[in-house]
Amino acid sequence: SLLYPYGPDQGDQTNPKHDDGTSERITLSVPFTFYGKTHETLFVNNNGVISFDDHVRQYTADPFPLADGRTFVAPYWADVDNVLGGDIFYRQTTDPALLAGISQDINKYFPEISFTATWAFVATWDHVAYYGSTSTKGNTFQAVLTTDTKTFFIILNYWDIQWTTGAASDGDAETGLGGIPAHVGFNSGDDTNFYNIPGSQTDAIINITATSNVNVPGRWAFRVDNFQVTGVDPPQLNDNDCWL
């Protein structure tokens, strides 16, 4: 599978079954540096967001950069309703087998860096439904934060994406499409530094399982301590475009 192992048998915690819900504030055993700022806590939000400063209950995505200074990662920011279906899992881990696999992947994608992961945070949205759904559609995706305490990376994995929009974001209740689609990317909180994955907030985001910046369909990987975009070619984005 494209996804790293997850679920209760991996020791994962599970978010509450609550529309627009969130995890408790999670204290990180290893501080995580994102866009030059080091964070010691985070939240896993049901609506497809990992946030560092405060929880995020907002269900209709806004484009980046955000005007309100929030700092977060949006693996798939949209109106998830895990009451209607699916689960959101997360854990911190130092499991040697998992870290070895992550290290191998990072070294493949970033060959100029010698990286040996010492910690990872794995958050997985497993077949989650959308608000107002009258279907059985579900999305499965994952975000992995990892570090060797010197460099910091985020890997985004998209295994099965069947919907883009909840009904309260003007999406169709039967199809989960239309309206204001999901947003995927990174917001530093400083109004200047941000990144929007191509297709965000368009109907094309449903095809993210077929896109990549590391030649692995459905996977995007980024160095995020001093944020860098790698391997994104025109007509999407290139290294001279103005996300900085």
Side-chain angles (χ1 to χ4, degrees), residues 15 21-28 40-46 48-57 71-73 75 90 121 123 125 145:
N15 268 18
T22 178
S23 72
E24 60 186 11
R25 183 186 296 270
I26 301 161
T27 299
L28 301 178
E40 296 184 353
T41 63
L42 57 72
F43 296 83
V44 177
N45 304 279
N46 288 4
V49 171
I50 296 175
S51 54
F52 293 106
D53 299 322
D54 202 353
H55 55 68
V56 175
R57 299 188 187 277
T71 302
F72 63 69
V73 181
Y90 65 88
F121 185 91
W125 287 256
L145 286 61

Side-chain angles (χ1 to χ4, degrees), residues 50-124:
I50 296 175
S51 54
F52 293 106
D53 299 322
D54 202 353
H55 55 68
V56 175
R57 299 188 187 277
Q58 181 178 339
Y59 54 84
T60 300
D62 287 325
F64 297 158
L66 299 175
D68 58 13
R70 286 178 291 175
T71 302
F72 63 69
V73 181
Y76 201 83
W77 186 12
D79 197 359
V80 170
D81 188 348
N82 63 343
V83 178
L84 293 179
D87 291 290
I88 296 113
F89 300 108
Y90 65 88
R91 75 184 182 281
Q92 300 184 68
T93 181
T94 56
D95 175 68
L98 176 66
L99 294 181
I102 291 172
S103 300
Q104 183 178 18
D105 289 338
I106 292 293
N107 284 306
K108 185 188 308 179
Y109 309 146
F110 302 86
E112 72 283 2
I113 299 171
S114 179
F115 181 80
T116 302
T118 57
W119 170 92
F121 185 91
V122 182
T124 309

Side-chain angles (χ1 to χ4, degrees), residues 1-6 98 101 105 109 124 126 140-142 155 157-160 216-219:
S1 169
L2 184 71
L3 304 180
Y4 298 107
Y6 69 92
L98 176 66
D105 289 338
Y109 309 146
T124 309
D126 181 45
T140 300
F141 56 95
Q142 183 180 73
I155 300 171
N157 295 318
Y158 301 91
W159 183 244
D160 189 20
V216 180
R219 174 171 286 173

Side-chain angles (χ1 to χ4, degrees), residues 11-31:
D12 282 4
Q13 301 294 312
T14 306
N15 268 18
K17 293 279 189 180
H18 189 278
D19 182 40
D20 303 328
T22 178
S23 72
E24 60 186 11
R25 183 186 296 270
I26 301 161
T27 299
L28 301 178
S29 57
V30 175

Side-chain angles (χ1 to χ4, degrees), residues 130-220:
Y130 55 93
Y131 179 80
S133 173
T134 59
S135 75
T136 59
K137 287 185 173 184
N139 287 346
T140 300
F141 56 95
Q142 183 180 73
V144 178
L145 286 61
T146 188
T147 184
D148 61 0
T149 73
K150 299 185 296 291
T151 52
F152 297 78
F153 294 90
I154 294 178
I155 300 171
L156 304 177
N157 295 318
Y158 301 91
W159 183 244
D160 189 20
I161 300 297
Q162 300 181 354
W163 62 266
T164 64
T165 322
S169 305
D170 296 328
D172 183 279
E174 183 176 352
T175 66
L177 304 175
I180 302 174
H183 193 91
V184 182
F186 302 85
N187 194 70
S188 72
D190 64 8
D191 296 332
T192 302
N193 295 286
F194 63 95
Y195 179 65
N196 301 312
I197 282 184
S200 288
Q201 295 204 283
T202 76
D203 294 341
I205 200 64
I206 200 168
N207 298 318
I208 198 168
T209 55
T211 64
S212 176
N213 67 334
V214 292
N215 296 314
V216 180
R219 174 171 286 173
W220 292 73

